[in-house]
Amino acid sequence: MEELLALVEDFEAETEDAERVQRETLEKILEENEGTEYLKRFGLNGRRDEETFRTCVPLASHQDFLPHVQRIADGDASPILAAKTFTALSWSSGTTGGKPKLIPFNDALSRSMTQQFSTCLAYTLREFSVKEGMSLRFLYIASRHRAKGGLNVGPATSHIFHQLQSGKSIDQEKTGKIQPCSPKVVAMASDYQQASYCHFLCGLFYSDQVQFLQASFCHLLVQTFRIFESIWEELCADLRQGRLGERVSDPFVRASISELLKPSPELADEIYRKCKVLQSKNWFGLIPELWPQAKFVSAILTGSMEPYVGKLRHYAGDRLALVSWVYAASEGMIGINARPRTSVESVAYAVGPGNGYFEFIPLKRRGLYEESEPVRLTDVRIGEIYEVVITNFAGLYRYRLGDVVKVSGFYNSTPELQFMRRKNVVLNIRTEKTTETDLQLAMERASKLFLMEDEVDIMDFTSYGDLSTDPGHYVIFWEVISDMLDKEMLQKCCNCLDHSFADVAYVNHRKNRFIGALELRIVARGTFGKIFEHYQSLGSTIYQFKTPRCIANSNTAVLKILDDNVIASCFSTAYG
C-alpha cells in the first residue's frame, strides 16, 4: 500500500502548483521534440515558453496530422512528429463515421497513462479502505495487427498490457495485495464470450474475497451481466465439478483455468440458490448478493455511458457505490476522479497537469457555439464550457480533442472537468445542431414512459439524419427487451422524443415542415451486438468500443445492419 499512497502524494503535489507543472511539461515536450519535422516549420528556434508555442504553432485536428501518421504507419522512421521512435499506433474509439482514427503511441505515453490509471485506483482504494483481497476486472485485450511499416496497431490498453512485465496484469505491480481473479490469459482470449464466461467463473470461485468490480466502460459491465443472466446455471455446474465445460474451447484459457479450479459443490449450491431468487427479482442487486465483500463498482460512467448507468445501478442494488474512475482518450490521459464518493451525476475529473500540456477553447452559445482564443489550464473559469486541446508526449501538438467539457471547480489548483459530449456528434438536417447531450436527454424522457407503462428495458440506441426523404428527418433506433410491443406506447414515446428536441431551430423547422416527422424504429434483439461485430472486424474491441450515438450517412454498413433488423416503426405526430 506504500506505493499506492506515494501515487496519491505525487498527484497532490502536482495539483498544488498546476501552473508550474504545465510550464515544465511543455518545456520537456518541446526540448525533446524541437528537431522534429512538424515543429521545425513553425519557427520556434529553440524557444520553449508557452507564449511562443501558442503563437507559432497552430491549433490542429486529426485531419491535419493524418498525412504524418500515415507516413509513420508506412514505415518512415525519421523524426516526423516525435524524436523518439514510436512503438505502436492506437485505434481511437471514435466510431461515428465508421472509421477509427490512428493515433501515434510511444513509451512515454504508455508510462503516463499507466501511472494515472494506478493513481486513480489508489484514490479509490484509499477512500473505501481496501487493502487486500481480490478484484473482478472484466479485462479484454485485443489482438493486434501490423501496419505496413511494421508497427503494432490496436487499442492503447492493448499496447500498455503487452509492455508490462510478463506474468503481471495491468496495475498489479502498483496494487500490492489486491490481486485479479482471472489469469492474464483470460484477458487475451480472442473470443469475448469465452473470456466473459471465464471472468465470471473465476470471480465466483473467489466470490468471498472480491473487493471491487471494474471494467473500462459502463456499457461493457451492463452487457457482460446480461450475458450472466443466460449462463449462470452453466457456471454453477462448472463450479460444482471444478472444471470447464464445453463452452470454452481456447486451449490456453482452458489450461490456465484448470490449474485454478477445484470442485466446490457447496459454493455452487449457494450461488445457485441466490441466482434463483435474483432471477425472480429481475436480477436487482445481483452484484452485492454474489460478491458480498465488494465495496464499489468502477467504470467510465459519464458522457455516452450515461444511458447505461440506470441498468448498472439495478445490478448494483441500493448499497454499492458506483465510481466513474477516469477521463481518458487514445491521445492521452486527461484526468482522474480524485473524489470517488461523488455521485455519478456530479462526478468531475481532476486534470493531471503532468499528463500533457492542456489548453481550452471557450465555447459560448448564441444560437450556435462560438469559439474564442484558447486559454491555459489554470485560466479556465468555473461554470464555463470549453473544447479540450492537448499537446502530448507522442507527437500531437495543440491537438483538438473534440471533447466538450464544463469546469465544475478546482482540485487544489487544477480544474475539475465534467464531460458533456463530443463536439462533432450532431444530428443536422438543416441549420439546427442537435448534440449528443440533446439526444440523451430526449432518450431519458421517452424511456421513462416506456418503463412506467410496460416496464420495458431499452438495451441500446442510436440515430441518424435521413436525407433520402424530402424533407429529411431524424431516425431513432431502439433495441428493447420485450416480446410484446404496444403500438400506442411506441407512438407516445415517438412523440415524446420529437418534442424533447427543444433547440429553437429544430422546433421552427418542424413547425414549418422543413424537417420531417421523427421516426422511431425498433430493432430485433442482438442488433447492437451485430454492430459491435462489424466494428470488431475493423479493429475495435469490446474493451474500448462505444456505441455510436449518431451514424453518418456515409456509414452504409452500420445503417444496413440497423435497417435489416427493424421489427416495428412509427412516425411522430407531435407537430400534427
Side-chain angles (χ1 to χ4, degrees), residues 87-280:
T87 56
L89 294 168
S90 296
W91 285 117
S92 76
S93 58
T95 53
T96 302
K99 295 181 180 179
K101 297 178 292 186
L102 275 181
I103 306 295
F105 188 89
N106 60 15
D107 289 338
L109 193 58
S110 177
R111 286 192 297 272
S112 172
M113 295 179 79
T114 301
Q115 177 158 338
Q116 290 295 286
F117 280 125
S118 298
T119 300
C120 181
L121 185 59
Y123 271 94
T124 309
L125 294 180
R126 185 185 69 166
E127 181 65 33
F128 289 93
S129 302
V130 176
K131 297 181 179 179
E132 59 184 6
M134 309 288 286
S135 62
L136 176 49
R137 309 176 81 177
F138 294 95
L139 184 61
Y140 305 93
I141 300 301
S143 58
R144 302 184 294 177
H145 69 271
R146 297 275 186 178
K148 180 181 177 181
L151 289 176
N152 282 310
V153 179
T157 48
S158 292
H159 303 325
I160 293 171
F161 184 91
H162 285 289
Q163 287 180 9
L164 289 173
Q165 290 181 330
S166 176
K168 291 185 178 182
S169 67
I170 289 180
D171 293 332
Q172 184 176 333
E173 72 277 11
K174 296 287 188 182
T175 56
K177 297 181 180 180
I178 308 296
Q179 303 297 323
C181 294
S182 307
K184 181 179 71 170
V185 69
V186 173
M188 300 180 71
S190 58
D191 186 280
Y192 161 66
Q193 300 279 348
Q194 292 187 34
S196 297
Y197 187 88
C198 291
H199 279 314
F200 275 122
L201 191 62
C202 295
L204 292 173
F205 185 73
Y206 293 113
S207 57
D208 62 338
Q209 300 179 52
V210 170
Q211 299 295 304
F212 66 91
L213 292 81
Q214 188 176 67
S216 56
F217 295 113
C218 182
H219 85 89
L220 176 57
L221 279 173
V222 169
Q223 183 171 329
T224 305
F225 277 106
R226 282 182 174 138
I227 292 174
F228 179 86
E229 293 179 22
S230 63
I231 62 173
W232 67 272
E233 290 180 290
E234 194 174 340
L235 287 165
C236 288
D238 283 356
L239 278 174
R240 185 174 290 105
Q241 297 173 24
R243 62 179 179 82
L244 275 172
E246 297 181 358
R247 177 180 289 272
V248 179
S249 58
D250 187 311
F252 298 103
V253 174
R254 290 189 67 87
S256 183
I257 296 296
S258 296
E259 292 180 6
L260 180 152
L261 283 182
K262 61 181 180 180
S264 306
E266 292 183 3
L267 175 61
D269 289 343
E270 180 185 0
I271 291 171
Y272 189 91
R273 287 192 298 271
K274 288 182 177 180
C275 285
K276 290 296 285 185
V277 175
L278 287 166
Q279 192 176 40
S280 69

Side-chain angles (χ1 to χ4, degrees), residues 426-496:
V426 295
L427 286 166
N428 177 219
I429 300 296
R430 288 182 69 88
T431 60
E432 88 290 357
K433 298 289 183 183
T434 297
T435 69
E436 183 176 356
T437 301
D438 297 328
L439 179 61
Q440 289 186 179
L441 289 172
M443 270 294 304
E444 289 171 9
R445 293 180 185 126
S447 61
K448 285 177 182 177
L449 289 177
F450 231 161
L451 290 169
M452 286 189 297
E453 294 285 339
D454 291 351
E455 295 186 353
V456 175
D457 191 5
I458 299 171
M459 295 180 66
D460 220 328
F461 72 94
T462 191
S463 66
Y464 89 106
D466 187 348
L467 301 177
S468 67
T469 60
D470 187 18
H473 67 287
Y474 289 6
V475 179
I476 311 294
F477 295 92
W478 282 4
E479 181 178 327
V480 303
I481 303 176
S482 178
D483 296 326
M484 299 293 292
L485 293 172
D486 182 88
K487 291 184 179 180
E488 184 178 346
M489 178 48 57
L490 283 182
Q491 189 65 61
K492 287 182 180 179
C493 290
C494 186
N495 290 354
C496 180

Side-chain angles (χ1 to χ4, degrees), residues 520-562:
L520 176 60
R521 299 179 189 174
I522 308 299
V523 295
R525 287 283 299 275
T527 299
F528 281 83
K530 294 177 182 177
I531 291 173
F532 164 66
E533 290 170 4
H534 166 72
Y535 282 115
Q536 192 176 33
S537 72
L538 299 177
S540 188
T541 71
I542 189 66
Y543 193 70
Q544 70 165 175
F545 177 72
K546 292 179 282 191
T547 300
R549 293 303 176 213
C550 179
I551 309 295
N553 281 269
S554 59
N555 196 350
T556 55
V558 171
L559 289 176
K560 187 176 189 306
I561 293 171
L562 290 163

Side-chain angles (χ1 to χ4, degrees), residues 216-381:
S216 56
F217 295 113
C218 182
H219 85 89
L220 176 57
L221 279 173
V222 169
Q223 183 171 329
T224 305
F225 277 106
R226 282 182 174 138
I227 292 174
F228 179 86
E229 293 179 22
S230 63
I231 62 173
W232 67 272
E233 290 180 290
E234 194 174 340
L235 287 165
C236 288
D238 283 356
L239 278 174
R240 185 174 290 105
Q241 297 173 24
R243 62 179 179 82
L244 275 172
E246 297 181 358
R247 177 180 289 272
V248 179
S249 58
D250 187 311
F252 298 103
V253 174
R254 290 189 67 87
S256 183
I257 296 296
S258 296
E259 292 180 6
L260 180 152
L261 283 182
K262 61 181 180 180
S264 306
E266 292 183 3
L267 175 61
D269 289 343
E270 180 185 0
I271 291 171
Y272 189 91
R273 287 192 298 271
K274 288 182 177 180
C275 285
K276 290 296 285 185
V277 175
L278 287 166
Q279 192 176 40
S280 69
K281 300 190 298 182
N282 193 27
W283 301 98
F284 178 81
L286 181 160
I287 298 173
E289 187 65 32
L290 297 185
W291 292 279
Q293 302 303 318
K295 307 297 191 303
F296 61 90
V297 180
S298 180
I300 295 174
L301 307 174
T302 51
S304 61
M305 294 298 108
E306 289 178 12
Y308 306 99
V309 171
K311 188 62 177 179
L312 183 59
R313 279 205 176 103
H314 181 84
Y315 287 130
D318 297 323
R319 59 186 177 86
L320 200 59
L322 301 184
V323 179
S324 192
W325 59 320
V326 292
Y327 174 14
S330 300
E331 295 84 353
M333 186 69 70
I334 312 301
I336 68 169
N337 182 358
R339 309 180 200 268
R341 290 193 185 273
T342 304
S343 67
V344 174
E345 293 75 16
S346 302
V347 70
Y349 305 96
V351 178
N355 293 341
Y357 181 73
F358 295 98
E359 298 169 82
F360 296 85
I361 301 173
L363 300 177
K364 301 289 185 182
R365 189 162 192 174
R366 300 181 181 91
L368 299 178
Y369 276 107
E370 298 177 0
E371 299 177 0
S372 303
E373 285 298 309
V375 299
R376 299 181 307 163
L377 176 72
T378 53
D379 292 335
V380 296
R381 296 181 178 181

